[in-house]
Amino acid sequence: ETSLSRNAICMSVRPAVKKGTFHTAVNSPSLKPTLNVEQWEAKAPLSNREVNSAGVMKAACEKPPLPHKFDGNELSSSSRPTTPLGRAHARHDSSRLGPSGISSTPSRPSTPASGSGNISAQSLRPAATHNLHPKQPIITPEQFYDWFTLLDRSVAHSQEAHFRAHVAGVSAHLDACDALVERIGEVDGQVEGMLEGWRSVEEGGRSLKEACERLLEERARLIDLTEEIGARLDYFQELEQAMRMLNRPGESLVLQANFLYMVERVDICIDYLKAHRYFREAEVYLLRFQQCMTRAMTLIRMYFVGSLKALSADILKKLSEKDVSSTAQMHLLYTRFQSVSSQLAPLLGELERRAQTHPVELSALLAECHTAYFSTRKTLLVGRLMEEIRGLDPGRTELVELTRAGCSYLKQLCMDEFKLYQSFFTTGEEQLYQYLENLCDYLYDDLRPRILHEPRLTALCEVCTVLQALMVLDVASIPEDDGEPALSVDLDQKKHSLGTLHISHLLEMILQDAQTRLFFKAQSVIQSDIRSYAPKPEDLAYPDRLASSPYCQRERKLQSAVSASYNRQTGDVVSHVTKDRLGPVTVA
């Protein structure tokens, strides 16, 4: 058994013999199974080197792990499965090997021991069965070769199991990699689709952004256009509010807080429509706004005239009472008017300003206000003025004194009227001076006949001096641009500033009459007393005429007084004084 096992192992590791060689040889019909083990060993002896190589191969085959289908208790540590009896003889074979693994017995097996052929089949049957164990005892070489081929295939299969497992693992990995590559391809396709979708979304977003920006620009342009249209429509819509306010009943409408604001808005709308006549229906709205302006200014004129009438009636009623002092008269004539001027002056200021801007439509209304004011003041002042002139007694008073007193009173009256007029109006200078001239005419009607019939040149000269003094003082009170007072009298100046009253304009006619009368009187005196002079005998009696002159008579009276005064003094002193005093008379 030992020789058979060793020979079987050596045959399994021989490099020149391939798998299936023995199987082919055994199965070949030309070979006859006549050789036994001893004959085979005798014909194919092994050298020591071959035996050592077989031992080394055996030791090397013991290291790889056993296949999973083999039990570790059933298989030996060698790489090749043993025969059913190999396990029992493994220890015996190892005892025959030396320390170096070389068998200590000769390579050729000995003759089988006696009685070996009598080994029963029961002794050769293993204690435990295995798939590789023969199901029946091996009797013939063919059975051995078949069993050996089965073992060889099993060993080859067990040795290649980890390669097949590795190949299976690699195949599984390759399948997983193929699936992963396929999945990556799908993901790549999805990513490409997502990128394409993102690009389309980005392009759509950019287009949407540009469209939104265009819409915002269009919206801003439309908003600006709407605001511009609304700003232009505000001028047209102002007409409805103005007409609604002007249609309210009552004359006290002009005292409301928003009345002057409405007038200002209407004036602005008129100027705007005049500058934009190309607007649709601009002419129609312009005409309506002008009508509203005329209506508003008419309300101001009506309220002003009504206030003057009511105030004048109240003042006349109180002046008609008895025992009204001059202080009370001044209060009624000026203080009462000053009290209502603060309420009427803003309204009249609007009327004056609009009359300058729209003279064609509103100048007549302002003129009516001036006329109403001057007629009211004249009605109140004429009675008092006539009374003052009668108090001067124009028929009996000296001409120079009458001129001085009358002109001084008129100057004060004109200054008071001028200040009162300033509290109501800022324009109408020409109408104001006409009104003041009418007041001066009441004194002038009494003064002019006296001047025209005055025969004395000295009186006429004094009248001219008084009038020129009043006019020079008036002009000197007006500051010039360079700060120096103007001392010249400009009698031809017709236009004056409303800020200062010019008395020279009012006294001009009286001065002209006095100067004209003085000129003609002086011309008459020169003609009669100088040019047509005829001397009389007494005019040529010199020096008797000089001695009889008043001057000589005064000198003689003085001489008599001096002589009487110094009569008690020495004769030399008296004689000397007499010669000094009478010397010029003697020479004459």
Side-chain angles (χ1 to χ4, degrees):
E1 291 178 0
T2 303
S3 299
L4 182 60
S5 177
R6 184 173 62 251
N7 292 334
I9 293 172
C10 291
M11 289 176 65
S12 63
V13 298
R14 186 182 299 272
V17 181
K18 296 182 180 180
K19 296 180 181 180
T21 303
F22 298 104
H23 181 73
T24 304
V26 174
N27 293 332
S28 177
S30 61
L31 296 177
K32 295 181 179 180
T34 57
L35 294 177
N36 54 16
V37 178
E38 289 80 2
Q39 293 176 352
W40 175 266
E41 188 175 357
K43 290 182 178 182
L46 297 176
S47 63
N48 294 332
R49 185 176 181 179
E50 292 176 350
V51 173
N52 293 334
S53 298
V56 172
M57 291 297 295
K58 180 181 179 181
C61 291
E62 292 177 354
K63 294 181 181 180
L66 294 176
H68 297 289
K69 62 183 179 178
F70 300 115
D71 190 4
N73 297 325
E74 296 177 356
L75 298 177
S76 63
S77 60
S78 63
S79 62
R80 190 179 299 274
T82 60
T83 59
L85 299 178
R87 186 178 301 171
H89 298 285
R91 185 175 298 175
H92 177 73
D93 293 337
S94 61
S95 63
R96 295 178 60 182
L97 296 174
S100 60
I102 301 174
S103 176
S104 59
T105 59
S107 62
R108 188 177 302 275
S110 60
T111 303
S114 60
S116 60
N118 297 326
I119 298 174
S120 63
Q122 297 294 333
S123 62
L124 296 175
R125 184 174 298 174
T129 61
H130 193 271
N131 292 331
L132 296 179
H133 291 175
K135 298 179 180 180
Q136 295 178 0
I138 299 174
I139 300 175
T140 63
E142 289 80 0
Q143 293 178 350
F144 173 77
Y145 291 143
D146 293 338
W147 175 72
F148 182 78
T149 301
L150 180 62
L151 289 179
D152 187 37
R153 291 178 179 176
S154 177
V155 170
H157 184 272
S158 63
Q159 290 178 351
E160 295 175 357
H162 64 283
F163 294 106
R164 286 192 297 272
H166 181 69
V167 170
V170 171
S171 299
H173 286 300
L174 288 176
D175 295 338
C177 291
D178 293 339
L180 184 60
V181 170
E182 183 179 359
R183 183 59 180 167
I184 290 173
E186 294 177 359
V187 172
D188 190 20
Q190 293 178 358
V191 171
E192 289 294 335
M194 293 173 64
L195 288 175
E196 186 66 24
W198 177 78
R199 293 189 186 95
S200 62
V201 170
E202 185 180 13
E203 185 66 24
R206 187 181 298 107
S207 302
L208 180 61
K209 180 181 178 182
E210 294 176 356
C212 292
E213 290 177 353
R214 289 193 298 270
L215 289 177
L216 289 176
E217 293 177 358
E218 183 68 17
R219 175 179 174 272
R221 187 183 66 82
L222 292 177
I223 290 175
D224 295 339
L225 181 61
T226 303
E227 292 178 353
E228 292 178 0
I229 294 175
R232 288 171 171 81
L233 287 178
D234 288 341
Y235 294 97
F236 294 89
Q237 294 173 355
E238 193 69 27
L239 178 63
E240 182 180 357
Q241 299 179 3
M243 294 182 65
R244 187 185 303 113
M245 176 175 289
L246 293 175
N247 290 331
R248 295 177 184 176
E251 295 182 357
S252 61
L253 172 65
V254 296
L255 299 179
Q256 295 184 5
N258 54 351
F259 177 78
L260 295 181
Y261 175 75
M262 181 272 298
V263 173
E264 183 68 23
R265 292 293 301 170
V266 170
D267 193 14
I268 293 174
C269 293
I270 291 175
D271 295 338
Y272 182 80
L273 292 177
K274 285 183 178 180
H276 301 82
R277 292 180 179 271
Y278 55 89
F279 284 176
R280 185 176 181 180
E281 298 183 358
E283 296 295 337
V284 177
Y285 276 87
L286 178 60
L287 179 60
R288 292 180 180 177
F289 275 118
Q290 290 175 349
Q291 292 175 354
C292 290
M293 178 63 70
T294 305
R295 171 65 176 165
M297 296 300 104
T298 303
L299 291 176
I300 293 177
R301 191 263 303 170
M302 293 174 60
Y303 182 78
F304 175 70
V305 173
S307 300
L308 288 181
K309 288 182 179 180
L311 183 61
S312 176
D314 185 46
I315 293 175
L316 287 175
K317 181 179 178 181
K318 292 183 178 180
L319 288 177
S320 62
E321 298 177 357
K322 296 181 180 180
D323 299 333
V324 179
S325 62
S326 59
T327 304
Q329 291 181 2
M330 290 294 295
H331 171 73
L332 292 174
L333 293 175
Y334 293 99
T335 308
R336 290 288 302 276
F337 275 83
Q338 288 285 351
S339 62
V340 299
S341 63
S342 60
Q343 185 179 16
L344 297 176
L347 301 177
L348 295 174
E350 290 294 328
L351 178 57
E352 289 175 334
R353 189 157 61 91
R354 300 299 182 273
Q356 293 177 357
T357 308
H358 313 285
V360 178
E361 298 87 358
L362 304 178
S363 296
L365 296 176
L366 182 59
E368 291 179 5
C369 292
H370 289 158
T371 303
Y373 175 81
F374 292 136
S375 62
T376 302
R377 293 299 301 173
K378 188 175 181 180
T379 302
L380 296 175
L381 291 177
V382 166
R384 182 168 177 265
L385 178 60
M386 294 297 295
E387 184 179 355
E388 291 291 337
I389 293 176
R390 285 194 299 267
L392 295 176
D393 193 6
R396 298 180 181 180
T397 307
E398 179 67 25
L399 178 60
V400 178
E401 186 64 24
L402 177 63
T403 303
R404 182 181 292 107
C407 291
S408 298
Y409 173 74
L410 286 179
K411 179 179 179 181
Q412 185 63 37
L413 178 64
C414 292
M415 291 179 63
D416 294 338
E417 288 297 314
F418 184 82
K419 291 180 181 179
L420 183 62
Y421 182 83
Q422 277 186 324
S423 62
F424 285 93
F425 300 95
T426 58
T427 59
E429 180 182 6
E430 184 177 356
Q431 294 84 348
L432 174 62
Y433 277 96
Q434 290 178 0
Y435 163 70
L436 295 179
E437 288 176 359
N438 291 332
L439 295 180
C440 294
D441 287 342
Y442 289 96
L443 177 62
Y444 181 69
D445 292 340
D446 293 331
L447 190 60
R448 186 172 183 272
R450 294 286 305 273
I451 293 175
L452 295 179
H453 294 86
E454 178 62 39
R456 297 173 298 172
L457 289 176
T458 56
L460 294 175
C461 290
E462 290 181 3
V463 169
C464 292
T465 302
V466 170
L467 295 176
Q468 288 179 350
L470 292 174
M471 296 170 66
V472 168
L473 292 176
D474 176 53
V475 175
S477 62
I478 304 174
E480 294 291 333
D481 294 338
D482 55 357
E484 295 294 334
L487 299 179
S488 62
V489 181
D490 187 6
L491 300 180
D492 296 332
Q493 185 177 0
K494 299 298 181 181
K495 295 184 180 180
H496 305 280
S497 174
L498 191 59
T500 305
L501 176 64
H502 299 276
I503 300 297
S504 59
H505 184 72
L506 303 176
L507 301 179
E508 181 180 0
M509 293 183 64
I510 301 177
L511 179 61
Q512 288 179 357
D513 290 340
Q515 289 176 345
T516 302
R517 176 59 180 167
L518 178 61
F519 173 77
F520 284 109
K521 186 62 179 176
Q523 187 178 11
S524 176
V525 170
I526 292 173
Q527 181 69 26
S528 60
D529 295 345
I530 297 177
R531 185 175 182 180
S532 301
Y533 175 73
K536 298 178 181 180
E538 57 269 15
D539 294 335
L540 300 177
Y542 286 93
D544 295 336
R545 185 174 178 82
L546 294 178
S548 61
S549 64
Y551 176 76
C552 293
Q553 293 178 2
R554 286 194 300 271
E555 288 293 333
R556 289 174 182 174
K557 290 180 181 180
L558 180 61
Q559 183 179 4
S560 299
V562 172
S563 298
S565 174
Y566 293 98
N567 191 20
R568 292 184 298 270
Q569 297 180 2
T570 60
D572 295 338
V573 174
V574 174
S575 178
H576 179 71
V577 172
T578 303
K579 290 181 180 180
D580 292 337
R581 302 292 291 178
L582 297 178
V585 178
T586 304
V587 174

